[in-house]
Amino acid sequence: MYLCTKAVEGSHAMQRCVRRRTASGSVMVVVMMVLVVVLFLPPHPSSSSSSSSSFSSSDSSSSLSSSSSVKFLQDSRQATVLHSANLASSLRDIPKDSCRPRHDLVFLKTHKCASSTTQRIFLRYGKQHGLTQALPHTGNYLGSPRPFKEWMLPRSLRTPDGKYNMMVVHTRLDAEALAKVIRKSAAWITIVREPVDQFESLWGYFEMEKFYKMSLEEFADLPYEKVVRWRLAKVYGIHQMFYDMGYGSAEDLTPTNMDRILTKLNSTFDLVMVAERYDESLVLLKDLMCWTADDVAYLSINFRKKKFATNKLAPETRDKLLQLSYPDAKIYEFFLKVFEKKVEAFGRARMAKELAAVQAANKKLAEKCVVNENSPLRAEKGMEWVEVVSRVTVRGDIQDCVDVVRTEHDMLNDVRERQRLWVARRWRGNLSQVVVPLR
C-alpha cells in the first residue's frame, strides 16, 4: 500500500509516495506531511489584486507612490501581521527608483489655469511612449457645453478594447462616463487657479469685452442670475472652473451642497495642481506618475502679451467678481488646503530637492531648444498662436523642441493622425512608430 502527499515546490507540483510498512513509518509520514505543508503552502491571497492597485503580489518590489507603497505592503503582508515599526522600516528600505512609470491618466483641462502647458507635458509623454488618446474627430473639445459621453469618441480613433491611456483635451467632467473609456489604473488630475485672476485672464484672452459689450468693471456690477446664463459660445463665463467640472448654475447652491460637491471632487482626483504653485505641482505630479524631471520639463506657452493685459482691478471690482464666482472661490480655497497638506506629507526638504531637479530640467530644455526670434533655425509651422499671447521661439530642426511649444490644435492634429493611421492598419505595431506623412 502507498500513502501519497502533494505539495507545491516553486511553480511545480511535487508528489511523494511512501510505502506503509510499520506503525512508526506511518508516524513519520504524517510528520513529513505537516512539514511539507507548512514549508510550501502558498501565501494567503491578499487584496493587492483589487482594482485599486495595478500590481499583483509578484510585483512587491515596485510602487507607484509613497501612499500606494504603504497600501501594497499592508495588503501583501496581511497574513504575517507585521508590527507597525517593522512596516515603517520596510518602507524606508524600498528605493524610490523601484516605482514603475504610470502611463494612464485623465487630465481635466480647466481654462486659463496653466492647463495648456500641462497638457503639452502629457501629449509629449504620450507621443514618446506610444500611448492612446481619447480625442474628438476634430478640434480640441470632447463635448462642452455637454458633459463628456462615451459616444463622443469617433470610431476612426478607437482602440481595440475601447479603453484609452490618456484623456487630456477640453471637456466638461462626467467622471462616471470617463471611467468607462479610461483604463482603471489611470491617475485623475486637474488644476485650479485663484478665481478672480483666472476670470480676468479668461476675459482678456477671449476678448469678452466685445461679446458682452461692456467693461469688466461693468460686468462685475451685473446680478448673478444674468451673468450665469450669459456665456460666450455657451462655454466661457463666470465660475469657469465650476463649469468645467460639470456643474452649471449656483443659484440654488447651499453650503451643504457645495461641501458635497467638494467631497466628490476630492474623491475623484488624485491630484489637483495649483497654478500659482506650478513647479511644486509638477513635483507632486512627477511623484504620482513615477516620471523623471525631464518628463515634466516645460517652457511657458499661451500667456498673454503685456499690451493685452487688463488693467489692474480695483479692490471693489475684485470683491464683486469673487462673489459672482462663489463656487470657484470655494473650489480654490478647498484644494489649496489639500495641496498644502500634500506638500507637508511630501516633506519640505524633499520638495526643495525635487524643485531644483525640475528647474534644472527646464533650464536644460531651454538651452537645447530656445533660439532668437530672428534665428534661421526657428520653427514656424505649428506656431500660429492667437495675437494676444506671446510665444517662445524654438528650433525647428528638433522635433522635441517643436512639440514643447506648438499650438494645441497643431499638436492634436499630429497625435490624431498618428492614431487614425494606427487604427486603420488594425492596430499593428507600436503607436509611437507610426509615421505621419508630411502635410
Side-chain angles (χ1 to χ4, degrees), residues 148-324:
F148 174 83
K149 296 298 177 188
E150 185 179 3
W151 58 261
M152 296 174 179
L153 295 169
R155 188 173 297 277
S156 61
L157 299 171
R158 193 162 296 173
T159 60
D161 62 356
K163 302 283 187 180
Y164 301 83
N165 297 115
M166 290 187 173
M167 159 64 185
V168 302
V169 294
H170 280 296
T171 195
R172 288 187 70 201
L173 181 65
D174 182 330
E176 290 76 15
L178 272 170
K180 294 178 181 178
V181 301
I182 295 295
R183 303 196 182 282
K184 288 184 178 180
S185 58
W188 289 61
I189 301 157
T190 190
I191 185 167
V192 296
R193 182 181 177 185
E194 195 284 321
V196 176
D197 289 343
Q198 185 268 350
F199 183 73
E200 187 273 331
S201 179
L202 191 80
W203 181 276
Y205 182 83
F206 287 107
E207 301 181 82
M208 295 170 74
E209 187 167 319
K210 295 178 181 178
F211 172 73
Y212 289 109
K213 295 182 172 58
M214 64 182 72
S215 68
L216 184 54
E217 288 75 12
E218 291 172 316
F219 178 89
D221 284 328
L222 295 175
Y224 176 80
E225 55 271 18
K226 184 170 184 178
V227 300
V228 74
R229 294 177 175 81
W230 202 6
R231 306 187 80 90
L232 172 60
K234 298 183 179 180
V235 175
Y236 314 111
I238 203 66
H239 52 62
Q240 187 69 47
M241 292 184 288
F242 188 64
Y243 181 86
D244 290 337
M245 291 176 183
Y247 300 96
S249 173
E251 287 179 277
D252 301 320
L253 190 65
T254 66
T256 299
N257 288 339
M258 189 70 225
D259 287 343
R260 289 187 185 130
I261 289 172
L262 293 172
T263 299
K264 183 177 180 180
L265 290 172
N266 194 37
S267 66
T268 298
F269 292 102
D270 298 291
L271 174 63
V272 177
M273 302 169 65
V274 176
E276 289 82 3
R277 299 174 67 173
Y278 191 66
D279 284 0
E280 289 175 280
S281 295
L282 289 182
V283 170
L284 295 181
L285 171 67
K286 182 175 84 71
D287 184 67
L288 174 67
M289 301 302 295
C290 194
W291 289 359
T292 68
D294 288 336
D295 290 331
V296 299
Y298 69 96
L299 300 174
S300 295
I301 58 174
N302 210 21
F303 57 93
R304 277 181 300 165
K305 297 175 181 176
K306 289 183 178 180
K307 70 177 182 178
F308 290 101
T310 304
N311 293 331
K312 187 176 180 180
L313 297 175
E316 56 270 23
T317 302
R318 291 190 65 89
D319 289 343
K320 291 173 184 177
L321 288 173
L322 196 60
Q323 291 175 24
L324 290 174

